[in-house]
Amino acid sequence: MRVGNGYDVHAFEAGDHLMIGGQRIAFDKGFRAHSDGDVLLHAICDALLGAAGLGDIGRHFPDTDAAWKGADSRHLLQAVIALLHDRGLHCISLDATVVAERPKLARHAPAIVALLAADLSLAADRINIKATTSERMGFCGREEGIAAMATVLLDESATR
Ligand code: MG
């Protein structure tokens, strides 16, 4: 077994939607980012890479690389999963938390879980997506941006 954690933050800018967990969520702001700014998928990618001992998302998908400009972060996630599978590593548990005053994410959680279950080839009951506010404190509380944290457990057995 190998465990990894990931953390990501993106600030808001003018816009009309957010990408969170691969879901397009209508909102009165957007994310300032080189890619689509999907904080949740970025935190999950970093947790997966961390557990695998493969560095971090910036090493694999540098924001100086035009190839990832405006990238769909689900493609980043799928690329990370492929790196793990090449090494006989499979995610067997995922827990994540998104910190945001708005938008409310609870109603989007089932769709996010379904997307992650498909990409990770993992049963939905092994994936948990939580949302919390920051009680109006700090950058999340002031609605300057959103943070996400993820923890994963990888199975190292190559027999699956
Ligand atoms: Mg990011």
Side-chain angles (χ1 to χ4, degrees):
M1 299 291 186
R2 302 175 67 145
V3 69
N5 74 83
Y7 175 74
D8 193 38
V9 168
H10 279 286
F12 292 137
E13 64 178 12
D16 61 4
H17 74 281
L18 302 173
M19 293 300 296
I20 300 178
Q23 298 298 306
R24 183 186 174 100
I25 299 171
F27 195 53
D28 55 8
K29 301 169 186 169
F31 280 132
R32 183 193 315 149
H34 185 71
S35 68
D36 63 10
D38 193 322
V39 280
L40 177 55
L41 294 191
H42 294 176
I44 292 169
C45 285
D46 261 353
L48 292 167
L49 290 168
L54 290 172
D56 59 36
I57 195 171
R59 181 170 121 195
H60 294 273
F61 314 107
D63 61 11
T64 51
D65 186 342
W68 302 109
K69 182 155 180 54
D72 177 345
S73 293
R74 198 170 175 191
H75 294 154
L76 274 56
L77 175 65
Q78 290 164 349
V80 167
I81 291 166
L83 287 172
L84 268 54
H85 287 182
D86 287 347
R87 291 160 175 80
L89 296 168
H90 295 85
C91 181
I92 60 168
S93 182
L94 163 62
D95 184 34
T97 302
V98 180
V99 184
E101 299 296 326
R102 294 186 307 130
K104 294 298 176 202
L105 295 173
R107 71 186 177 90
H108 298 285
I112 295 171
V113 168
L115 177 150
L116 291 168
D119 283 354
L120 289 163
S121 306
L122 184 60
D125 66 359
R126 287 176 171 255
I127 300 172
N128 195 71
I129 303 299
K130 307 184 296 297
T132 186
T133 72
S134 190
E135 298 286 346
R136 296 267 151 212
M137 296 181 288
F139 67 88
C140 292
R142 293 188 296 270
E143 299 189 26
E144 295 169 5
I146 288 181
M149 288 156 275
T151 301
V152 300
L153 189 63
L154 302 186
D155 181 354
E156 207 166 2
S157 66
T159 51
R160 280 184 53 175

